Amino acid sequence: SDGARTDAPGPAAVTSPLSRDAATADPPRAPPSRRAGKARARWSFGIGVNGGGLGLGTEPAFAWGGFLEAGTDGAGLSPSIRLGVTRTVSSAETPVVATDLGWTVARGSLSPVRVDLAPSLSLRPAIALEGGVLAAAARGFEGARRTSRPWAAVGLHARIAYAPTRRLFVEVGGGAVTPLVRDELVVEPTLSLYRAPVVVPVGEASLGLRFP
């Protein structure tokens, strides 16, 4: 009729399943940074004993001692510091006299990196500085007295460590040291007992525990 108005239905809103899923989905997360995903190396402390041989004289030199260490347990840049005390005995012979030699040495070594060779096997190069006392006593020489001199040397070492457990480790290593001062031990102006070589080869094995 005149004046009567009929409202026609408008177009229905169309909603797709894809739009509903997008509206309810969690917002995308930023990818984790490389730094956050990298495990941090932990500091550990160790104690151990070592023994080995040095080429200090004409006869084999046997060394034994102990050490303390602190360092990180990660691969790559992983500094480690070791401090120890070593006692070494040897002998030297000349056509005139034989000499008993003894070194009491404190050694500090710094290893800046660790190279993992296998899951329980690693390699550490190190630079070492040592200082102590060298003592000598002549045998078969009437009136000879025991004499001593300061000992100081710098060297390079490398050690391979096998760690069957988190705490226990076994090491073998080698290297060389160079005496900073090559003092000559004499009992008379013309009778030399011993003079250190320019380069001293070193080989040793260690057994230790790490904490925690």
Side-chain angles (χ1 to χ4, degrees), residues 180-206:
L180 299 178
V181 178
R182 297 179 64 209
D183 281 340
E184 188 173 14
L185 302 178
V186 297
V187 292
E188 288 183 355
T190 59
L191 181 55
S192 173
L193 295 180
Y194 177 76
R195 190 178 186 190
V198 177
V199 176
V200 178
V202 178
E204 64 180 14
S206 305

Side-chain angles (χ1 to χ4, degrees), residues 23-181:
T24 59
D26 294 334
R29 297 180 180 179
S33 64
R34 184 176 300 179
R35 181 181 299 271
K38 184 179 180 180
R40 293 183 178 180
R42 297 180 298 178
W43 279 86
S44 62
F45 302 91
I47 185 172
V49 294
N50 55 3
L54 295 82
L56 286 164
T58 58
E59 298 294 333
F62 300 100
W64 63 93
F67 62 87
L68 300 172
E69 70 172 10
T72 57
D73 59 1
L77 184 60
S78 178
S80 175
I81 299 173
R82 179 173 291 188
L83 301 174
V85 177
T86 302
R87 174 66 179 172
T88 306
V89 294
S90 183
S91 62
E93 293 187 4
T94 69
V96 178
V97 65
T99 307
D100 293 324
L101 302 169
W103 286 259
T104 303
V105 174
R107 178 191 298 172
S109 65
L110 171 63
S111 173
V113 299
R114 191 185 84 177
V115 180
D116 286 347
L117 306 176
S120 299
L121 201 65
S122 62
L123 169 68
R124 275 194 178 276
I127 182 171
L129 180 64
E130 59 185 39
V133 177
L134 164 62
R139 285 184 279 118
F141 185 79
E142 186 177 355
R145 294 182 300 175
R146 186 177 182 85
T147 182
S148 62
R149 291 289 187 275
W151 172 269
V154 63
L156 296 174
H157 301 266
R159 57 183 188 263
I160 296 177
Y162 172 64
T165 68
R166 165 68 181 164
R167 291 191 174 183
L168 178 67
F169 65 92
V170 180
E171 294 178 344
V172 293
V177 299
T178 299
L180 299 178
V181 178

